[in-house]
Amino acid sequence: MTVPLKVLIVSPIPSHPAVQGNSVRILAFGAELKRRGVMADFLYYGMEGLSKEQAEVMIGFWHRFFFVRSQPLSRPSHARSWGIDDWCADQLCDTVRELAATHRYDAIIVNYVWMSKVLTGIHGPLKVIDTHDLFGDRHLTAEEQGLEPRWFFTTVEEERRGFERADVVIAIQENEAEAIQDRFTGKVLTVGHPVEPGFLMGPWAPNPSFTFGYLGSGNPWNVRSVLAIDTALARDRVARWALAGTISRRRLSLQSHPFLLGVVERVERFYDVVECVLNPMLGGTGLKIKTIEAIAFGKPVIGTRDAFEGMRPEHDFHRLDTIDAMIGAMKAYTASGALREELALSSRSLFVRYMAAVTQGYDALVTLIRQHRTSRARTRDDTAATAGTAGRFPNRLAAPAPPTG
């Protein structure tokens, strides 16, 4: 009988509730490992707090759930950016080392390069970083797009230092994998974001209330993009649209007056009432998980090139260059039933192609972990055999000669 692989996932973001892209990623990542027979433990470094209800759900989902209370942040190590270890407390590193020694994991997977310090001083497990995004010079990217840098950002050199603590670094899309390979001497693996095929798992709700809708978190890039399309829709009204997600908490002053659905407990509620999903993403970094989720629900999607980055789209409405082009696409969509059907089919086709690549990525990751465990076991066996031989004959040349005569 094959012994299941044992993995510890370390994250500063909870897996539940999955109401923003990073928590959705973490939850899906764990589900894919479990689907492949991996016993996945989860250590949450509570940077976003922890309610009793959250803890209960996470205890039920993960094989084991551990919690370390986060420590207050001190001043940045650098004048214009954070140091790679500024957000990773020594207490967390100590806990990870204790768990690794106790449970003898086959792999430790750390979410975000700025948590890579937990991999130091650990020997045995395969050490993996799931990057989610690139953080080297991220503040410069934000400033170029007219946004104030927020959350974590560091220098390329600091990010490189974090990568070098791992055996494997995971990119969420291929163009980021290429950038990481320039900064890292080890193995780089692309593992995209898996979503269940919602359009195959239940009937569509008939007659959705809104022709268009947007679902997203309140990060600066999303806010900028929503404000841009709101301005365009206030000038050139196309159809009624709805806004949902944690971006609703930003209380934006929107001129086109979308219907505010708020934070939906179940994303199905959003997709049941919206016919076509919008993603007017302007710039930003990382994979746009909300785009993948929308096509997984079989919805036609209209979006910019940035919204579909890393997905290899084929339809023109999946690679629009400007907000004005999105408005034109929305007008064309409302005017043509044939175009509406074509866009829905193209979105579903893109989902199928993308998920095939994602499945290969997770299979490759689990294979690497299994190969590492096999290699470790072989090394231990060789060491034990050598030690046993050495105990009987510390020096073969010095072994006693057989008696003669």
Side-chain angles (χ1 to χ4, degrees):
M1 180 177 179
T2 303
V3 178
L5 295 172
K6 295 192 297 183
V7 169
L8 175 66
I9 297 175
V10 182
S11 172
I13 304 298
S15 59
H16 298 73
V19 295
Q20 55 193 26
N22 48 8
S23 57
V24 170
R25 162 72 170 181
I26 292 163
L27 178 59
F29 200 106
E32 289 298 315
L33 293 183
K34 291 169 61 177
R35 184 171 291 164
R36 289 162 174 79
V38 176
M39 296 169 60
D41 292 357
F42 187 69
L43 170 56
Y44 169 42
Y45 180 60
M47 293 188 73
E48 296 192 355
L50 180 68
S51 68
K52 179 181 177 182
E53 292 74 19
Q54 274 182 289
E56 289 174 349
V57 175
M58 286 191 278
I59 288 170
F61 179 80
W62 299 99
H63 181 250
R64 296 187 188 89
F65 172 70
F66 307 100
F67 175 70
V68 174
R69 192 178 302 277
S70 64
Q71 302 300 306
L73 297 178
S74 57
R75 295 179 64 83
S77 297
H78 303 284
R80 293 204 61 211
S81 67
W82 296 98
I84 195 65
D85 297 332
D86 285 353
W87 288 23
C88 188
D90 290 338
Q91 178 187 359
L92 175 63
C93 298
D94 293 340
T95 301
V96 172
R97 281 192 286 269
E98 291 172 7
L99 291 174
T102 301
H103 298 291
R104 301 177 65 84
Y105 293 110
D106 298 301
I108 296 177
I109 301 174
V110 177
N111 285 270
Y112 298 108
V113 65
W114 42 269
M115 299 292 285
S116 62
K117 186 180 177 182
V118 304
L119 297 175
T120 60
I122 291 178
H123 306 284
L126 186 70
K127 295 185 281 190
V128 182
I129 296 173
D130 186 11
T131 57
H132 289 248
D133 204 342
L134 294 176
F135 293 88
D137 288 347
R138 194 168 188 257
H139 54 305
L140 302 182
T141 301
E143 289 170 354
E144 288 171 359
Q145 298 176 11
L147 298 173
E148 179 185 353
R150 294 187 180 182
W151 214 44
F152 187 88
F153 50 88
T154 190
T155 65
V156 169
E157 186 54 43
E158 283 286 277
E159 185 173 53
R160 180 182 290 113
R161 188 161 68 89
F163 288 154
E164 290 300 333
R165 292 163 169 166
D167 303 308
V168 178
V169 172
I170 294 174
I172 202 169
Q173 56 182 327
E174 289 180 3
N175 60 345
E176 290 181 5
E178 294 172 1
I180 292 169
Q181 196 68 81
D182 289 338
R183 308 175 190 181
F184 176 53
T185 59
K187 173 75 173 178
V188 178
L189 188 65
T190 301
V191 181
H193 178 68
V195 183
E196 296 290 343
F199 65 91
L200 297 177
M201 301 174 69
W204 284 27
N207 304 317
S209 304
F210 306 97
T211 305
F212 301 108
Y214 176 91
L215 171 66
S217 67
N219 71 52
W221 281 277
N222 287 349
V223 169
R224 178 192 182 210
S225 304
V226 165
L227 289 175
I229 198 166
D230 168 68
T231 299
L233 286 172
R235 180 193 68 231
D236 195 354
R237 293 184 182 275
V238 179
R240 196 178 183 207
W241 69 297
L243 183 73
T246 56
I247 194 172
S248 305
R249 294 172 177 163
R250 297 296 296 269
R251 298 185 178 181
L252 304 176
S253 179
L254 300 175
Q255 304 170 52
S256 64
H257 306 295
F259 186 87
L260 301 180
L261 289 171
V263 180
V264 290
E265 292 185 5
R266 297 176 65 252
V267 294
E268 288 84 351
R269 178 169 177 258
F270 170 79
Y271 294 109
D272 278 346
V273 300
V274 168
E275 178 182 319
C276 176
V277 176
L278 305 175
N279 193 352
M281 196 70 182
L282 297 174
T285 58
L287 189 71
K288 311 310 183 291
I289 288 177
K290 55 181 166 288
T291 300
I292 301 169
E293 186 178 80
I295 61 175
F297 276 92
K299 293 293 180 177
V301 181
I302 298 175
T304 58
R305 291 184 186 275
D306 290 327
F308 284 84
E309 185 179 5
M311 297 185 64
R312 299 183 179 180
E314 296 179 352
H315 199 282
D316 288 343
F317 286 6
H318 292 166
R319 49 192 181 193
L320 299 167
D321 291 318
T322 65
I323 294 298
D324 284 343
M326 281 200 63
I327 299 300
M330 292 167 68
K331 289 180 178 179
Y333 178 89
T334 58
S336 171
L339 181 58
R340 291 195 291 273
E341 183 177 350
E342 172 190 296
L343 186 59
L345 291 174
S346 182
S347 294
R348 294 183 183 190
S349 176
L350 176 59
F351 171 76
V352 171
R353 296 195 310 272
Y354 177 76
M355 281 305 302
V358 170
T359 298
Q360 292 174 0
Y362 278 99
D363 289 345
L365 174 61
V366 172
T367 296
L368 282 175
I369 297 172
R370 184 170 290 111
Q371 289 173 344
H372 180 78
R373 180 172 72 176
T374 301
S375 177
R376 282 176 63 198
R378 187 178 298 120
T379 300
R380 285 195 299 267
D381 291 344
D382 291 346
T383 301
T386 302
T389 302
R392 287 180 283 119
F393 298 108
N395 184 337
R396 284 188 180 274
L397 296 177
T404 59

Coordinates of all heavy atoms in Angstrom, one line a residue, residues 8-54:
L8 N 2.9 20.3 4.2 CA 2.5 21.4 5.0 C 2.5 22.7 4.1 O 3.4 23.0 3.5 CB 3.5 21.7 6.2 CG 3.3 22.9 7.0 CD1 1.9 22.8 7.8 CD2 4.4 23.2 8.0
I9 N 1.3 23.3 4.1 CA 1.1 24.6 3.4 C 1.2 25.7 4.4 O 0.4 25.7 5.4 CB -0.2 24.6 2.6 CG1 -0.2 23.5 1.6 CG2 -0.4 25.9 2.0 CD1 -1.5 23.3 0.8
V10 N 2.0 26.7 4.2 CA 2.1 27.8 5.1 C 1.6 29.1 4.4 O 2.0 29.3 3.2 CB 3.6 28.1 5.5 CG1 3.7 29.2 6.5 CG2 4.2 26.8 6.1
S11 N 0.7 29.8 5.0 CA 0.1 31.0 4.4 C -0.2 32.1 5.4 O -0.6 31.9 6.5 CB -1.2 30.6 3.7 OG -1.9 31.7 3.2
P12 N 0.0 33.4 4.9 CA -0.4 34.5 5.7 C -1.9 34.9 5.4 O -2.4 35.8 6.0 CB 0.5 35.6 5.3 CG 0.8 35.3 3.8 CD 0.8 33.8 3.7
I13 N -2.5 34.2 4.5 CA -3.9 34.4 4.1 C -4.7 33.2 4.4 O -4.3 32.0 4.2 CB -3.9 34.7 2.6 CG1 -3.0 35.8 2.2 CG2 -5.4 35.0 2.2 CD1 -3.4 37.2 2.9
P14 N -5.9 33.3 5.0 CA -6.7 32.1 5.3 C -7.3 31.5 4.0 O -7.4 32.2 3.0 CB -7.8 32.7 6.2 CG -8.0 34.1 5.7 CD -6.6 34.6 5.4
S15 N -7.6 30.2 4.1 CA -8.2 29.6 2.9 C -9.7 29.8 2.9 O -10.3 29.7 1.9 CB -7.9 28.1 3.0 OG -8.4 27.5 4.2
H16 N -10.3 30.2 4.1 CA -11.7 30.4 4.2 C -12.0 31.7 5.0 O -11.2 31.9 5.9 CB -12.4 29.2 4.9 CG -12.2 27.9 4.2 ND1 -11.1 27.2 4.2 CD2 -13.2 27.1 3.6 CE1 -11.3 26.0 3.6 NE2 -12.5 26.0 3.2
P17 N -12.9 32.5 4.6 CA -13.8 32.3 3.4 C -13.0 32.7 2.2 O -12.2 33.6 2.2 CB -15.0 33.2 3.7 CG -14.4 34.3 4.5 CD -13.3 33.7 5.4
A18 N -13.3 32.1 1.1 CA -12.6 32.4 -0.2 C -13.4 33.5 -0.9 O -14.1 33.3 -1.9 CB -12.6 31.1 -1.1
V19 N -13.2 34.7 -0.5 CA -13.9 35.9 -1.0 C -13.0 36.8 -1.8 O -13.4 37.9 -2.2 CB -14.6 36.7 0.1 CG1 -15.7 35.8 0.8 CG2 -13.6 37.1 1.2
Q20 N -11.7 36.4 -1.9 CA -10.8 37.2 -2.7 C -9.8 36.3 -3.4 O -9.7 35.1 -3.0 CB -10.0 38.2 -1.9 CG -9.3 37.6 -0.7 CD -8.8 38.7 0.3 OE1 -9.4 39.8 0.4 NE2 -7.7 38.4 1.0
G21 N -9.1 36.8 -4.5 CA -8.4 35.9 -5.3 C -7.3 35.1 -4.6 O -7.2 33.9 -5.0
N22 N -6.6 35.6 -3.7 CA -5.5 34.8 -3.0 C -6.1 33.7 -2.2 O -5.6 32.6 -2.2 CB -4.6 35.7 -2.3 CG -5.3 36.7 -1.3 OD1 -6.5 36.6 -1.1 ND2 -4.5 37.6 -0.8
S23 N -7.2 33.9 -1.5 CA -7.8 32.9 -0.7 C -8.4 31.8 -1.5 O -8.4 30.6 -1.2 CB -8.8 33.4 0.4 OG -9.8 34.2 -0.3
V24 N -9.0 32.3 -2.7 CA -9.6 31.3 -3.6 C -8.5 30.4 -4.2 O -8.6 29.2 -4.3 CB -10.2 32.1 -4.8 CG1 -10.6 31.1 -5.9 CG2 -11.5 32.8 -4.3
R25 N -7.3 31.0 -4.5 CA -6.1 30.2 -5.0 C -5.7 29.2 -3.9 O -5.5 28.0 -4.3 CB -5.0 31.2 -5.3 CG -3.6 30.6 -5.4 CD -3.5 29.8 -6.7 NE -2.1 29.4 -6.9 CZ -1.7 28.7 -7.9 NH1 -2.5 28.3 -8.8 NH2 -0.4 28.4 -8.1
I26 N -5.6 29.6 -2.7 CA -5.1 28.7 -1.6 C -6.1 27.5 -1.4 O -5.6 26.4 -1.3 CB -4.9 29.5 -0.3 CG1 -3.7 30.5 -0.5 CG2 -4.6 28.5 0.8 CD1 -3.6 31.6 0.5
L27 N -7.3 27.8 -1.4 CA -8.3 26.8 -1.2 C -8.3 25.8 -2.4 O -8.3 24.6 -2.2 CB -9.7 27.4 -1.1 CG -10.9 26.5 -1.0 CD1 -10.8 25.6 0.3 CD2 -12.2 27.3 -0.9
A28 N -8.2 26.3 -3.6 CA -8.2 25.4 -4.7 C -6.9 24.6 -4.8 O -6.9 23.4 -5.2 CB -8.3 26.3 -6.0
F29 N -5.8 25.2 -4.4 CA -4.5 24.5 -4.3 C -4.6 23.3 -3.4 O -4.2 22.2 -3.7 CB -3.5 25.5 -3.9 CG -2.1 25.1 -4.2 CD1 -1.3 25.7 -5.2 CD2 -1.4 24.0 -3.5 CE1 0.0 25.4 -5.5 CE2 -0.1 23.7 -3.8 CZ 0.6 24.4 -4.8
G30 N -5.2 23.5 -2.2 CA -5.3 22.4 -1.3 C -6.3 21.3 -1.8 O -6.0 20.1 -1.6
A31 N -7.3 21.7 -2.4 CA -8.3 20.8 -3.0 C -7.6 19.9 -4.0 O -7.9 18.7 -4.1 CB -9.5 21.5 -3.5
E32 N -6.8 20.5 -4.9 CA -6.1 19.7 -5.9 C -5.1 18.7 -5.3 O -5.0 17.6 -5.8 CB -5.4 20.6 -6.9 CG -6.4 21.4 -7.8 CD -7.2 20.5 -8.7 OE1 -6.6 19.6 -9.3 OE2 -8.4 20.8 -8.8
L33 N -4.4 19.1 -4.3 CA -3.5 18.2 -3.6 C -4.3 17.0 -3.0 O -3.9 15.9 -3.1 CB -2.7 18.9 -2.6 CG -1.6 20.0 -3.1 CD1 -0.9 20.5 -1.9 CD2 -0.7 19.4 -4.1
K34 N -5.3 17.3 -2.3 CA -6.1 16.3 -1.7 C -6.7 15.4 -2.7 O -6.8 14.1 -2.5 CB -7.3 16.9 -0.9 CG -6.8 17.7 0.4 CD -7.9 18.5 1.0 CE -9.0 17.7 1.4 NZ -10.1 18.6 2.1
R35 N -7.1 15.9 -3.9 CA -7.7 15.1 -5.0 C -6.7 14.1 -5.5 O -7.0 13.0 -6.0 CB -8.1 16.0 -6.1 CG -8.8 15.3 -7.3 CD -9.3 16.4 -8.2 NE -10.5 17.1 -7.6 CZ -11.0 18.2 -8.0 NH1 -10.4 18.8 -9.1 NH2 -12.0 18.8 -7.4
R36 N -5.4 14.4 -5.3 CA -4.3 13.5 -5.7 C -3.8 12.6 -4.6 O -2.7 12.1 -4.7 CB -3.2 14.3 -6.4 CG -3.6 14.8 -7.7 CD -2.7 16.0 -8.2 NE -3.0 16.4 -9.6 CZ -4.1 17.2 -9.9 NH1 -4.9 17.6 -8.9 NH2 -4.4 17.5 -11.1
G37 N -4.5 12.5 -3.5 CA -4.2 11.7 -2.4 C -3.2 12.2 -1.4 O -2.7 11.5 -0.5
V38 N -2.9 13.5 -1.5 CA -2.0 14.2 -0.5 C -2.6 14.5 0.8 O -3.8 15.0 0.8 CB -1.4 15.4 -1.2 CG1 -0.4 16.1 -0.2 CG2 -0.6 15.1 -2.5
M39 N -2.0 14.2 1.9 CA -2.4 14.7 3.2 C -1.9 16.1 3.4 O -0.7 16.3 3.7 CB -2.0 13.7 4.3 CG -2.5 12.3 4.2 SD -1.7 11.1 5.3 CE -2.1 11.9 6.9
A40 N -2.8 17.1 3.3 CA -2.3 18.5 3.3 C -2.7 19.1 4.7 O -3.8 19.3 5.0 CB -3.0 19.2 2.2
D41 N -1.6 19.5 5.4 CA -1.8 20.3 6.6 C -1.7 21.8 6.3 O -1.0 22.2 5.3 CB -0.7 20.0 7.7 CG -0.9 18.6 8.2 OD1 -1.9 17.9 7.9 OD2 0.0 18.2 9.0
F42 N -2.3 22.7 7.1 CA -2.3 24.1 6.8 C -2.0 24.9 8.0 O -2.6 24.8 9.0 CB -3.7 24.5 6.3 CG -3.8 25.9 5.8 CD1 -3.2 26.3 4.6 CD2 -4.6 26.9 6.5 CE1 -3.3 27.6 4.1 CE2 -4.7 28.2 6.0 CZ -4.1 28.5 4.8
L43 N -1.0 25.7 7.8 CA -0.5 26.6 8.9 C -0.9 28.1 8.5 O -0.3 28.6 7.5 CB 0.9 26.5 9.2 CG 1.6 27.6 10.1 CD1 0.9 27.6 11.5 CD2 3.1 27.3 10.3
Y44 N -1.8 28.7 9.2 CA -2.2 30.0 8.9 C -1.5 31.0 9.9 O -1.7 30.9 11.1 CB -3.7 30.2 9.0 CG -4.3 31.6 8.9 CD1 -3.8 32.5 8.1 CD2 -5.3 31.9 9.8 CE1 -4.3 33.8 8.0 CE2 -5.9 33.2 9.7 CZ -5.3 34.1 8.9 OH -5.8 35.4 8.8
Y45 N -0.7 31.9 9.3 CA -0.1 33.0 10.0 C -1.1 34.2 9.9 O -1.2 34.8 8.9 CB 1.2 33.4 9.4 CG 1.9 34.5 10.1 CD1 2.3 34.4 11.5 CD2 2.3 35.7 9.4 CE1 3.0 35.5 12.1 CE2 3.0 36.7 10.1 CZ 3.3 36.6 11.4 OH 3.9 37.6 12.0
G46 N -1.8 34.4 11.0 CA -3.1 35.2 11.0 C -3.0 36.7 10.7 O -3.5 37.5 11.5
M47 N -2.5 37.0 9.5 CA -2.4 38.5 9.2 C -3.8 39.1 8.9 O -3.9 40.3 8.9 CB -1.5 38.6 7.9 CG 0.0 38.3 8.2 SD 1.1 38.7 6.9 CE 1.1 40.5 7.0
E48 N -4.8 38.3 8.7 CA -6.1 38.8 8.4 C -7.1 38.4 9.5 O -8.3 38.5 9.4 CB -6.6 38.4 7.1 CG -5.8 38.9 5.9 CD -6.5 38.7 4.6 OE1 -7.5 38.0 4.5 OE2 -5.9 39.2 3.6
G49 N -6.5 38.0 10.7 CA -7.4 37.7 11.8 C -8.0 36.3 11.7 O -7.8 35.6 10.6
L50 N -8.7 35.8 12.7 CA -9.3 34.5 12.7 C -10.5 34.5 13.6 O -10.4 34.7 14.8 CB -8.3 33.4 13.1 CG -8.8 32.0 13.2 CD1 -9.0 31.5 11.7 CD2 -7.8 31.1 13.9
S51 N -11.7 34.2 13.0 CA -12.9 34.0 13.7 C -13.1 32.6 14.1 O -12.5 31.7 13.5 CB -14.1 34.5 12.9 OG -14.3 33.6 11.8
K52 N -13.9 32.3 15.1 CA -14.2 31.0 15.5 C -14.8 30.2 14.3 O -14.4 29.0 14.1 CB -15.2 31.0 16.6 CG -15.6 29.6 17.1 CD -16.6 29.7 18.3 CE -17.1 28.3 18.7 NZ -18.1 28.3 19.8
E53 N -15.7 30.8 13.5 CA -16.3 30.1 12.4 C -15.3 29.8 11.3 O -15.3 28.7 10.8 CB -17.4 31.0 11.8 CG -18.6 31.3 12.7 CD -18.3 32.3 13.8 OE1 -17.3 33.0 13.7 OE2 -19.1 32.2 14.8
Q54 N -14.3 30.7 11.1 CA -13.3 30.4 10.1 C -12.5 29.2 10.6 O -12.2 28.3 9.8 CB -12.3 31.6 10.0 CG -12.7 32.7 9.0 CD -11.6 33.8 9.0 OE1 -11.5 34.5 10.0 NE2 -10.9 33.8 7.9

